[in-house]
């Protein structure tokens, strides 16, 4: 027992959450959640790094196209290749470190020679290469031509591998000083968070735009060391953490910084070139885009005009691809890449907090700690995440975010269970006497139930016919066993049909449908329960006969049920220490009278006209009489509940018609005609039909002693 005291809390609050984490890790869910959750945190946290001042963009934007709308070379996309040498020449006036072209020239054109000439003139131009995974592969001859661009790295490196590469076309590719891959590799959820410094074509490695921007027009010595890429440049060493597939987690700064990356319109650059050629500018300050803006910069030439580029999804929303490339270059130049802490450490961090939380929840003497610790643990996690973030590390958040709520919820559920043991014992005893819904309401709002209320309900009364005689034949133990067996079965049916047990009065059962939980279907539920009780009693009697149990009278036991629906007062009534949920009112009294009257009409279930009106579409009723019960002046039509609607037979339908015709003769004081029709009705219902025989005898008496002209056809019962 002592071991169980420690084992179950540990199992629920530590082992189960760890098992959930292992499943998520196996399915790859935790990896996706880690990145999505960290993205959300990055949106909230202030940026502690700044975008590199060495990177600028020359943007072929909407303004560039609109500015030269009437120019045959510049007014439509793609621009003729003769335009780019003009851009190169102007940018070179500012002496940039490197010009990176984020536009593919992989198709042949009549203007290729102009770009080739620019390549020969300037030694700091890098052209775009596109890696693809296609069926088939490039011929070895083309691969040999591009050996000069390869980066010496081990053949078994983890970088992404492709089987097809599109290099700059013909003369452009032969003359370009540098090349760079412009492939963008999003995560499985479509969000771009990582980039590759190199891409592989077979066993050969080629630089991406991020790497080429990092080295500029110079060189660097790369080598792999475990999960890191080390680059030596200008006697400095840079280390970049490599994640899955050789990708580096990018630091995206902030949305504000991304939108404020220096971008100069290509149209402004061309217009500035024209101003110089035509003498419109007296000094550099008069130019729209002075060449000095490009001095000692890494210059990206890309596009953001509609239909000229593909948007990429970043943690801060949609941006043109050239913006993402600029971020990657800045990451490598400034060493702003993020190190993704292995998931195992995020799991261990969560387990430590789960273990402490389990101790606090189950064994700490100060109960206020149970409320304070979740706040404390969340604060510890958030601070830890932020500290890691400040050091350009990403603490896997999904493990804590997933496991801690599960742990604390399971722990609190178990704690509630063990701390409420005594209360549940009392609750269990109470539920044997009262419907569970009443107990639940009583525990939630006892005062409201004490005050009670008045609304529509169905009152249920049942009684065993001749139970006094049966009890005299049985010993006390047999009588108790019979009552327990009978009452248990009937009460179970009552409760399973949303009924509430009001009380037992010896063998009698008093029930409520539609309270304390309001239910618009309470008349139908009461009818269904009543029919089920008749059927269940038949099953009990059959088993008693088979076992030869009890006495002959008991084995032939019959019950009578009375139902009526209408407004009634319901609620807890009694003293503070002893109260029961019950009902009061005319509706209740009539149901009680109907149960007593059922004997006269030979009905198992006698119901009022309100029940018949509410349930006639679903159940089969037989009209019996119009009576005035004791203590009530208003007459009521009474019916026998026979079965569900679909089980009605043709004989019963014909008998109902005949019986109603006889009753019309009866109320019209046509006694002979009424007797004849009641006798005909017996042919459908049976020769010993109690209702027919009762009305025949009544007709015979009234024939001898006519009631008078003011008679309303209502029979007044003088007994309860």
């Amino acid at each position: 027992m002592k071991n169980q005291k420690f084992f179950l809390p540990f199992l629920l609050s530590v082992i189960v959450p760890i098992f959930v984490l292992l499943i998520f890790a196996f399915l790859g869910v935790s990896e996706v959640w880690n990145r999505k959750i960290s993205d959300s945190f990055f949106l909230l946290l202030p940026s502690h790094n700044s975008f590199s001042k060495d990177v600028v963009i020359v943007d072929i934007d909407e303004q560039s196209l609109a500015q030269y709308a009437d120019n045959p070379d510049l007014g439509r996309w793609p621009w003729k290749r003769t335009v780019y040498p003009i851009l190169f020449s102007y940018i070179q006036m500012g002496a940039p470190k490197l010009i990176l072209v984020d536009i593919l020239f992989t198709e042949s054109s009549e203007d290729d020679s102009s770009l080739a000439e620019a390549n020969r003139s300037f030694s700091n131009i890098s052209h775009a290469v596109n890696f693809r995974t296609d069926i088939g592969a490039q011929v070895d001859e083309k691969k040999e031509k591009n050996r000069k661009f390869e980066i010496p790295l081990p053949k078994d490196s983890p970088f992404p591998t492709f089987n097809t590469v599109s290099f700059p076309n013909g003369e452009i590719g032969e003359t370009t000083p540098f090349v760079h891959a412009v492939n963008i590799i999003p995560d499985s959820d479509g969000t771009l968070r990582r980039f590759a410094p190199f891409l592989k074509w077979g066993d050969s490695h080629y630089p991406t735009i991020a790497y080429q921007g990092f080295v500029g027009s110079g060189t660097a010595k790369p080598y792999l060391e475990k999960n890191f890429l080390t680059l030596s440049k200008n006697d400095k060493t840079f280390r970049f953490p490599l994640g899955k597939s050789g990708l580096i987690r990018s630091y995206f700064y902030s949305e504000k910084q991304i939108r404020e990356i220096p971008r100069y319109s290509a149209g402004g650059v061309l217009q500035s070139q024209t101003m110089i050629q035509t003498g419109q500018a007296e000094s550099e300050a008069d130019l729209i885009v002075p060449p000095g803006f490009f001095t000692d910069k890494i210059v990206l030439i890309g596009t953001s005009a509609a239909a000229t580029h593909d948007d990429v999804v970043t943690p801060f929303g949609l941006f043109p691809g050239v913006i993402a490339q600029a971020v990657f270059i800045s990451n490598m130049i400034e060493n702003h890449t993020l190190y993704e802490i292995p998931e195992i450490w995020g799991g261990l961090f969560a387990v430590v907090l789960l273990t402490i939380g389990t101790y606090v929840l189950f064994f700490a003497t100060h109960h206020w700690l149970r409320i304070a610790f979740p706040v404390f643990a969340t604060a510890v996690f958030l601070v830890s995440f932020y500290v890691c973030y400040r050091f350009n590390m990403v603490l896997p958040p999904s493990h804590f975010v997933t496991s801690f709520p599960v742990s604390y919820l399971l722990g609190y559920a178990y704690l509630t269970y063990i701390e409420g043991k005594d209360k549940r014992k009392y609750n269990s005893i109470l539920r044997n006497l009262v419907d569970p819904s009443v107990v639940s309401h009583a525990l939630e709002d006892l005062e409201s139930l004490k005050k009670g209320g008045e609304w529509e309900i169905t009152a249920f009364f049942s009684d065993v016919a001749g139970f006094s005689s049966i009890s005299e034949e049985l010993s006390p133990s047999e009588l108790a066993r019979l009552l327990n067996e009978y009452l248990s079965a009937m009460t179970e049916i009552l409760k399973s049909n949303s009924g509430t047990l009001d009380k037992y009065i010896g063998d009698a059962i008093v029930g409520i449908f539609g309270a304390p939980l309001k239910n618009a279907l309470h008349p139908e539920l009461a009818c269904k329960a009543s029919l089920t009780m008749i059927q269940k009693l038949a099953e009990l009697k059959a088993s008693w006969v088979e076992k030869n149990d009890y006495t002959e009278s008991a084995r032939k036991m019959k019950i009578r049920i009375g139902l009526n629906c209408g407004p009634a007062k319901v609620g807890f009534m009694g003293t503070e220490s002893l109260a029961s949920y019950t009902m009061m009112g005319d509706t209740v009294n009539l149901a009680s009278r109907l149960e007593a009257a059922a004997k006269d009409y030979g009905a198992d279930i006698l119901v009022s006209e309100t029940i018949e009106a509410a349930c006639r579409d679903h159940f089969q009723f037989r009209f019996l009489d119009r009576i005035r019960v004791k203590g009530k002046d208003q007459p009521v039509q009474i019916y026998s509940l026979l079965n569900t609607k679909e089980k009605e037979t043709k004989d019963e339908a014909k008998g109902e018609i005949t019986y109603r015709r006889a009753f019309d003769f009866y109320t019209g004081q046509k006694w002979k005609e009424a007797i004849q029709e009641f006798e005909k009705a017996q042919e459908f219902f049976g020769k010993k039909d109690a209702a027919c025989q009762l009305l025949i005898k009544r007709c015979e008496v009234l024939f001898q002693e006519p009631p008078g002209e003011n008679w309303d056809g209502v029979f007044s019962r003088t007994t309860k």
Side-chain angles (χ1 to χ4, degrees):
M1 191 68 182
K2 189 175 180 180
N3 292 335
Q4 185 180 14
K5 180 181 177 182
F6 292 94
F7 175 72
L8 284 177
F10 191 77
L11 173 67
L12 291 172
S13 298
V14 180
I15 302 300
V16 171
I18 290 175
F19 183 70
V20 172
L21 291 181
L22 291 175
I23 293 176
F24 285 171
F26 177 76
L27 297 175
V29 174
S30 58
E31 182 181 30
V32 176
W33 283 6
N34 279 330
R35 292 182 176 138
K36 284 186 175 294
I37 296 171
S38 61
D39 285 349
S40 301
F41 288 155
F42 293 158
L43 288 171
L44 301 174
L45 297 174
S47 176
H48 60 281
N49 292 322
S50 298
F51 188 84
S52 176
K53 296 180 179 179
D54 294 337
V55 182
V56 298
I57 297 173
V58 173
D59 188 6
I60 303 174
D61 54 7
E62 293 287 353
Q63 181 182 346
S64 300
L65 299 183
Q67 185 175 346
Y68 295 97
D70 298 329
N71 188 305
D73 293 338
L74 302 173
R76 60 186 180 84
W77 185 260
W79 281 355
K80 286 193 174 182
R81 295 181 182 179
T82 54
V83 176
Y84 296 99
I86 301 173
L87 287 175
F88 297 162
S89 298
Y90 186 83
I91 294 170
Q92 293 290 353
M93 292 171 61
K97 289 181 181 178
L98 182 67
I99 297 176
L100 295 165
V101 184
D102 192 23
I103 301 168
L104 291 168
F105 299 121
T106 56
E107 303 293 333
S108 61
S109 169
E110 58 184 14
D111 301 321
D112 285 352
S113 58
S114 61
L115 274 174
E117 185 60 31
N119 290 340
R120 295 187 183 97
S121 301
F122 308 117
S123 61
N124 60 348
I125 296 176
S126 181
H127 281 281
V129 173
N130 184 37
F131 282 66
R132 304 191 312 277
T133 302
D134 295 340
I135 299 175
Q138 297 283 359
V139 296
D140 291 340
E141 180 183 355
K142 190 168 184 179
K143 191 170 185 178
E144 289 297 326
K145 289 182 180 180
N146 295 283
R147 290 285 184 190
K148 59 182 178 179
F149 302 122
E150 290 184 15
I151 305 296
L153 284 169
K155 295 180 180 180
D156 60 350
S157 71
F159 302 110
T161 303
F162 299 83
N163 62 4
T164 304
V165 182
S166 295
F167 285 93
N169 180 66
E171 196 176 358
I172 302 173
E174 294 172 0
T175 57
T176 182
F178 305 101
V179 296
H180 57 267
V182 293
N183 295 70
I184 285 177
I185 305 174
D187 289 334
S188 58
D189 62 351
T191 302
L192 184 65
R193 301 183 184 89
R194 302 179 297 161
F195 65 91
F198 307 103
L199 297 182
K200 294 171 67 175
W201 179 23
D203 296 333
S204 302
H205 296 76
Y206 294 86
T208 63
I209 193 170
Y211 176 82
Q212 198 62 58
F214 168 78
V215 300
S217 56
T219 59
K221 293 181 180 179
Y223 58 94
L224 297 175
E225 181 184 16
K226 295 184 179 179
N227 294 324
F228 288 87
L229 168 67
T230 302
L231 298 175
S232 297
K233 171 189 167 186
N234 299 332
D235 297 327
K236 292 183 179 180
T237 300
F238 299 81
R239 296 180 81 240
F240 301 97
L242 297 178
K244 192 176 181 180
S245 302
L247 301 179
I248 297 174
R249 179 74 181 266
S250 175
Y251 181 90
F252 268 89
Y253 304 100
S254 67
E255 184 176 3
K256 183 175 182 291
Q257 288 192 62
I258 292 176
R259 296 192 183 281
E260 292 178 353
I261 293 175
R263 281 198 284 176
Y264 307 112
S265 173
V269 172
L270 294 174
Q271 192 173 353
S272 298
Q273 175 79 333
T274 302
M275 292 172 70
I276 293 175
Q277 292 174 347
T278 58
Q280 297 179 37
E282 296 181 1
S283 66
E284 186 172 310
D286 296 330
L287 297 172
I288 298 172
V289 184
F293 286 178
F294 307 119
T295 301
D296 214 24
K297 305 291 185 184
I298 304 296
V299 182
L300 276 77
I301 299 179
T303 65
S304 69
T308 66
H309 72 284
D310 291 329
D311 283 329
V312 295
V313 181
T314 74
F316 295 110
L318 285 174
F319 286 95
V322 68
I323 296 292
Q325 302 287 22
V327 169
F328 299 155
I329 295 170
S330 174
N331 285 169
M332 294 200 70
I333 291 175
E334 304 295 337
N335 203 0
H336 288 164
T337 57
L338 296 173
Y339 172 63
E340 293 181 318
I341 298 174
E343 287 192 27
I344 183 66
W345 294 107
L348 290 175
F349 177 84
V351 169
V352 170
L353 290 179
L354 296 184
T355 304
I356 297 174
T358 301
Y359 173 79
V360 169
L361 196 58
F362 290 96
F363 308 112
T365 55
H366 299 290
H367 294 294
W368 60 267
L369 287 174
R370 297 174 183 173
I371 299 174
F373 184 76
V375 178
F376 171 76
T378 303
V380 168
F381 164 72
L382 292 176
V383 170
S384 301
F385 186 91
Y386 180 70
V387 170
C388 291
Y389 167 73
R390 291 286 298 183
F391 286 92
N392 291 336
M393 295 186 292
V394 183
L395 175 68
S398 70
H399 303 83
F400 174 82
V401 173
T402 302
S403 64
F404 193 78
V406 171
S407 171
Y408 233 66
L409 286 173
L410 289 176
Y412 253 114
Y414 181 66
L415 189 66
T416 302
Y417 171 78
I418 60 176
E419 288 186 344
K421 198 170 184 180
D422 290 339
K423 184 177 179 180
R424 285 191 300 275
K425 284 181 180 179
Y426 171 77
N427 197 350
S428 177
I429 295 170
L430 190 58
R431 284 169 186 261
N432 290 328
L433 305 176
V434 185
D435 183 76
S437 63
V438 179
V439 178
S440 300
H441 272 64
L443 296 176
E444 290 175 9
D445 191 1
L446 182 59
E447 290 303 317
S448 176
L449 284 176
K450 282 182 178 179
K451 292 177 183 177
E454 184 174 15
W455 62 76
E456 291 282 330
I457 65 155
T458 294
F460 170 97
F461 282 80
S462 75
D463 194 17
V464 176
F467 188 75
S468 298
S469 300
I470 295 174
S471 61
E472 291 174 359
E473 298 173 356
L474 298 172
S475 67
S477 60
E478 286 180 321
L479 179 61
R481 184 164 60 90
L482 174 65
L483 269 178
N484 287 336
E485 191 171 357
Y486 164 73
L487 293 176
S488 296
M490 299 301 114
T491 305
E492 182 64 31
I493 294 170
L494 180 81
K495 292 181 179 181
S496 65
N497 286 277
S498 302
T500 298
L501 177 64
D502 183 330
K503 63 178 74 72
Y504 297 128
I505 306 173
D507 60 287
I509 302 173
V510 181
I512 312 170
F513 289 85
L517 300 179
K518 292 184 179 181
N519 190 329
L521 300 178
H522 58 86
E524 295 180 20
L525 292 168
C527 290
K528 180 184 174 186
S530 299
L531 289 172
T532 307
M533 288 180 181
I534 298 299
Q535 181 181 350
K536 182 64 178 179
L537 179 60
E539 294 174 2
L540 289 174
K541 292 192 294 184
S543 68
W544 296 339
V545 169
E546 183 178 350
K547 295 184 293 184
N548 196 29
D549 212 352
Y550 307 121
T551 64
E552 183 70 20
S553 298
R555 293 194 290 269
K556 293 181 179 180
M557 179 193 298
K558 293 190 65 176
I559 62 173
R560 298 187 298 266
I561 297 173
L563 299 178
N564 182 37
C565 66
K569 294 180 178 64
V570 290
F572 271 109
M573 300 177 191
T575 66
E576 186 69 28
S577 59
L578 183 61
S580 63
Y581 194 83
T582 188
M583 54 184 173
M584 296 178 65
D586 288 341
T587 297
V588 181
N589 294 334
L590 178 57
S592 175
R593 303 291 189 269
L594 292 178
E595 180 273 316
K599 176 182 179 181
D600 297 341
Y601 296 90
D604 293 329
I605 308 168
L606 196 63
V607 305
S608 66
E609 57 194 17
T610 53
I611 292 286
E612 190 273 341
C615 303
R616 63 177 58 146
D617 293 336
H618 303 288
F619 294 93
Q620 176 194 357
F621 295 95
R622 175 188 170 187
F623 171 75
L624 294 177
D625 202 354
R626 293 179 69 239
I627 65 174
R628 186 178 290 107
V629 299
K630 186 175 181 179
K632 191 171 182 181
D633 295 331
Q634 191 68 25
V636 61
Q637 291 190 112
I638 60 173
Y639 296 81
S640 173
L641 171 59
L642 301 180
N643 217 320
T644 54
K645 194 70 174 178
E646 61 270 14
K647 294 183 179 180
E648 183 178 10
T649 65
K650 291 182 179 180
D651 282 348
E652 289 171 337
K654 291 177 181 179
E656 174 72 8
I657 294 172
T658 306
Y659 189 90
R660 283 183 176 272
R661 186 164 57 245
F663 197 83
D664 289 338
F665 285 132
Y666 164 73
T667 56
Q669 301 191 32
K670 298 179 180 180
W671 315 117
K672 291 184 178 181
E673 292 87 342
I675 292 172
Q676 291 175 357
E677 292 300 317
F678 281 128
E679 289 175 346
K680 289 180 182 179
Q682 286 189 110
E683 296 177 5
F684 298 103
F685 294 124
K687 290 295 183 182
K688 294 183 180 181
D689 182 71
C692 290
Q693 291 181 1
L694 176 66
L695 269 295
I696 289 172
K697 289 179 181 179
R698 196 182 297 169
C699 288
E700 291 173 347
V701 172
L702 292 172
F703 177 73
Q704 298 295 330
E705 300 177 9
E709 295 181 0
N710 296 326
W711 183 63
D712 58 4
V714 177
F715 177 75
S716 297
R717 285 181 55 84
T718 57
T719 60
K720 293 184 178 182

